[in-house]
Amino acid sequence: MRKKMIGFLLFFTLLLSSLPLTSAFAANSAIAKLPGYSNPLMDHKLGADPFALTYNGRVYVYMSSDAYVYNSDGTVKDNDFSALTKINVISSADMVNWTDHGSIPVAGYNNANNGSGIAKWASLSWAPTVARKTINGHDKFFLYFANGASGIGVLTADNPIGPWTDPLGKALVTGSTPGMSGVTWLFDPAVLVDDDGTGYLYCGGGIPNTSDPASIANPKTARVLKLGADMISINGSAVTIDAPYMFEDSGIHKYNGKYYYSYCINFSGTHPAAYPAGEIGYMVSSSPMGPFTYTGHFLKNPYTFFGVGGNNHHAVFNFNNQWYVVYHASTVSKAQLGDGKGYRSPHINKLFYNPDGTIQEVQGDMAGIPQIANLDPYVRNEAETIGWNAGITTETTQAAGGPVNNLNVGYINNGDWVAVGNADFGTGGAKTFKANVASATAGGNIEIRLDSVNGTLVGTLPVPSTGGWQNWRELTTTVSGATGVHNVYFVFTGTGTGYLFNIDYWQFTPNTTGTTGTRVETENMTLSGPYAGKISSPFNGVALYANNDSASFTQNFTSSTHSFSLQGASSNGGTARVDLQIGGTTVGSFYFTGTTPTTQTLSNITHATGSQEVKLILTTDVGTWDAYVDYLVFQ
């Protein structure tokens, strides 16, 4: 029996008009992330203690696995943190549409995570932090987590979403680690890889004596440790950070050559105004090991912004030359339960510096970050890439060909929907739509609508029974009227009260009918670079293996604006990047994730006219992927 947690969802009834091309159904409502807003980052599940890693044009957010815990009578109890045995992961290229990468089953002690836990010695996994370091020419990823408040563990991977392994089989940092004596709570790690490749780990928290004003004012429970070159060992002894009114939540980042250590100020006793209870304070140093000087505070307790409080947890990061802070607040649980009960969800807002290097107060809100890049509808998009939704959840899938820890959207009822923001269909628009679906019932329909749940209907994909919830079929339908940039709503309709179907991925194809598009096969281009060569699999085309490998041709352009579509693939599950240069100027980049060939489109590109060299070139290869390219179409 498939089960779905629906007892606490808030629904409203939206009656659709009886105009042509509409259907009569009651559309379910979004819970907390309302269409047009960016916060919280997701509301189909919870996530606490967020940390952000930027890599290859994406932001990855790692979180403690907050999940509702129930009393014996079925009511939700206050969060007791017993469900924090996994790490939830989501990622985005545009800060609005977030792909759910599922959970990393970290804790493995006493059969935790049903025996699939990676760290067999750990019973919990709190407050993750992640770093990337290039070792022996390859990117390696290191995930540090807290085993409750008793120690810090580390997992490693070759990809930001795994698979992960435990290289030590034990904790990296414990109370017996040199310099760690006196730490009340050995948890909440933060990690920094400095410009010279040296890693530093920050952790700790708690107040040794909550009845002593001196202990409250100077707990001396924060520590910094220098990591070994392998990032899984400690070099020397931990150093105390004398963070005034320290409570928990270590954070670290580097700005203009200075090191910023930030943390949650404690709630105990009476504080001077410079140390407001439950807010994020920060200290600055010219060295990653300190000493640090208290400078101020920049993020108020979530209660100030959202009317629901609790602890404050954050991480500061830079993406595309803009600074942000990711933090948690009980906005989803408040919307579902009427009271947050200590269950948290991730948010992001911009962070700004003053000319003197001090940090301005962050303004937390539900509006969040405007979408910073359009979504390409002409490549494979995972169904679990979600801008907004109502009624659905995600689950581990058996569908083939997806990313590591692939999920599908499931538990779909009539009136549920998923939407993505700012899909760019270009001037030619879309011709067809396909989706990979599965159903053990009579199925239903996917209505494709623009800009709202009852917006313009541009196509409908009927979904029949496929004989099982994990028996997958790729189905296609025609679409009409999808041009330009739109939010796209996939509205699910069907009969009865049961679940309708699952969705693994979707993709549109561009309409080139009636255009003057020109297609150039890469095997007919001029190849250059150290390793570029022709291939016959996965298509007849060209492989670009290393930086400066390229395929080029000369084209006379009479117009200065074109859309360019490139068919290609990566050599593995990583993301391969191919730059498009025209006349020696890079005008855009194509990104291919995974070995399944897809078509990516750069719309309305402005470039020089006349006779120009058009070049497809690698510039960011670090030896972890190769790019395969088939053909380029421009129109």
Side-chain angles (χ1 to χ4, degrees):
M1 175 73 68
R2 287 159 57 90
K3 296 182 179 179
K4 177 181 181 183
M5 192 196 79
I6 60 174
F8 300 99
L9 298 182
L10 303 179
F11 297 109
F12 70 90
T13 299
L14 177 64
L15 297 179
L16 300 182
S17 70
S18 58
L19 294 173
L21 298 181
T22 64
S23 63
F25 69 99
N28 296 324
S29 70
I31 299 170
K33 186 181 182 182
L34 303 181
Y37 283 2
S38 301
N39 281 330
L41 307 186
M42 61 179 182
D43 62 10
H44 69 285
K45 62 169 59 173
L46 304 170
D49 309 322
F51 178 85
L53 170 78
T54 60
Y55 180 71
N56 274 3
R58 297 187 71 84
V59 177
Y60 294 83
V61 176
Y62 303 81
M63 298 159 283
S64 303
S65 55
D66 261 21
Y68 293 127
V69 181
Y70 296 89
N71 295 303
S72 58
D73 63 359
T75 59
V76 177
K77 65 169 66 175
D78 288 349
N79 193 355
D80 61 9
F81 312 113
S82 62
L84 274 57
T85 62
K86 299 179 284 293
I87 300 298
N88 293 339
V89 187
I90 59 176
S91 75
S92 177
D94 58 41
M95 307 289 267
V96 169
N97 302 304
W98 291 88
T99 301
D100 186 352
H101 297 293
S103 299
I104 305 167
V106 179
Y109 179 74
N110 197 25
N111 206 43
N113 285 306
N114 296 318
S116 65
I118 300 167
K120 301 302 182 184
W121 56 271
S123 57
L124 295 165
S125 57
W126 293 1
T129 184
V130 181
R132 175 189 64 86
K133 182 177 179 180
T134 302
I135 298 178
N136 296 326
H138 297 280
D139 285 349
K140 298 285 290 186
F141 297 86
F142 302 87
L143 186 155
Y144 304 87
F145 65 95
N147 181 31
S150 66
I152 308 297
V154 59
L155 305 181
T156 60
D158 295 325
N159 185 295
I161 57 175
W164 298 89
T165 59
D166 178 3
L168 300 179
K170 61 182 180 178
L172 170 64
V173 181
T174 68
S176 62
T177 299
M180 296 305 294
S181 176
V183 175
T184 305
W185 295 333
L186 210 175
F187 67 179
D188 286 4
V191 64
L192 170 76
V193 177
D194 209 353
D195 300 334
D196 64 358
T198 304
Y200 300 89
L201 188 68
Y202 303 75
C203 60
I207 305 169
N209 184 354
T210 57
S211 299
D212 179 6
S215 182
I216 293 170
N218 292 97
K220 294 183 173 61
T221 53
R223 298 289 187 271
V224 54
L225 305 98
K226 186 177 181 180
L227 293 167
D230 58 5
M231 298 289 287
I232 59 173
S233 60
I234 302 300
N235 188 342
S237 179
V239 173
T240 298
I241 301 174
D242 188 6
Y245 295 89
M246 169 71 181
F247 186 52
E248 59 183 1
D249 178 31
S250 288
I252 189 69
H253 69 278
K254 189 175 184 180
Y255 173 74
N256 277 358
K258 299 291 186 181
Y259 301 86
Y260 287 67
Y261 174 76
S262 45
Y263 61 97
C264 181
I265 297 169
N266 66 50
F267 297 84
S268 300
T270 301
H271 293 206
Y275 311 102
E279 298 190 15
I280 301 300
Y282 70 102
M283 309 174 77
V284 181
S285 175
S286 58
S287 166
M289 298 288 288
F292 290 86
T293 301
Y294 185 82
T295 306
H297 48 86
F298 63 84
L299 182 64
K300 297 185 182 302
N301 189 270
Y303 183 86
T304 303
F305 306 120
F306 308 110
V308 58
N311 71 335
N312 204 351
H313 200 106
H314 79 295
V316 175
F317 67 100
N318 185 283
F319 184 55
N320 291 348
N321 298 315
Q322 170 66 55
W323 286 93
Y324 301 93
V325 60
V326 59
Y327 58 97
H328 66 212
S330 297
T331 49
V332 174
S333 56
K334 179 184 178 184
Q336 290 182 311
L337 307 177
D339 180 350
K341 292 185 176 293
Y343 296 94
R344 289 91 28 112
S345 295
H347 291 235
I348 292 177
N349 282 96
K350 287 185 177 181
L351 181 143
F352 298 96
Y353 293 88
N354 295 310
D356 63 357
T358 57
I359 302 175
Q360 298 179 17
E361 283 282 351
V362 172
Q363 298 303 308
D365 57 32
M366 299 293 274
I369 308 302
Q371 190 166 334
I372 63 173
N374 291 337
L375 181 140
D376 186 352
Y378 299 127
V379 301
R380 170 178 168 146
N381 283 275
E382 298 303 315
E384 62 274 15
T385 297
I386 302 170
W388 309 277
N389 80 94
I392 61 89
T393 189
T394 56
E395 63 179 353
T396 301
T397 188
Q398 297 173 22
V404 173
N405 299 328
N406 190 22
L407 306 183
N408 63 250
V409 167
Y411 306 99
I412 294 169
N413 290 109
N414 180 51
D416 291 346
W417 51 268
V418 169
V420 293
N422 288 359
D424 187 355
F425 292 101
T427 57
K431 177 175 62 175
T432 63
F433 169 81
K434 67 180 180 181
N436 200 34
V437 295
S439 178
T441 62
N445 296 294
I446 302 175
E447 297 184 357
I448 307 159
R449 295 181 176 272
L450 303 182
D451 301 319
S452 72
V453 291
N454 61 342
T456 301
L457 181 67
V458 298
T460 300
L461 179 67
V463 179
S465 173
T466 64
W469 293 115
Q470 292 296 321
N471 291 341
W472 294 95
R473 287 179 58 188
E474 187 177 87
L475 304 175
T476 302
T477 190
T478 58
V479 294
S480 177
T483 61
V485 179
H486 294 276
N487 295 342
V488 180
Y489 285 71
F490 303 106
V491 181
F492 311 128
T493 62
T495 59
T497 59
Y499 301 127
L500 303 178
F501 46 80
N502 294 338
I503 311 174
D504 176 33
Y505 63 82
W506 57 265
Q507 182 175 350
F508 290 86
T509 57
N511 183 5
T512 58
T513 303
T515 68
T516 57
T518 300
R519 171 168 167 160
V520 183
E521 301 288 342
T522 55
E523 61 267 31
N524 297 327
M525 297 180 187
T526 300
L527 306 185
S528 63
Y531 302 110
K534 296 181 180 180
I535 57 173
S536 58
S537 177
F539 39 64
N540 290 321
V542 167
L544 306 177
Y545 294 104
N547 287 329
N548 297 317
D549 275 3
S550 67
S552 63
F553 64 97
T554 300
Q555 179 66 33
N556 183 46
F557 292 108
T558 59
S559 171
S560 63
T561 302
H562 289 86
S563 293
F564 296 85
S565 297
L566 182 65
Q567 171 93 347
S570 173
S571 62
N572 55 38
T575 298
R577 169 178 162 178
V578 180
D579 293 340
L580 174 64
Q581 293 182 356
I582 299 179
T585 300
T586 299
V587 296
S589 299
F590 302 97
Y591 295 89
F592 300 100
T593 301
T595 57
T596 301
T598 59
T599 302
Q600 298 220 25
T601 300
L602 301 173
S603 300
N604 301 320
I605 297 298
T606 301
H607 55 81
T609 58
S611 182
Q612 303 291 335
E613 181 187 50
V614 179
K615 179 180 287 187
L616 302 170
I617 184 171
L618 294 192
T619 62
T620 61
D621 177 61
V622 292
T624 58
W625 47 259
D626 304 319
Y628 302 145
V629 285
D630 188 2
Y631 59 82
L632 180 71
V633 174
F634 60 92
Q635 58 188 46

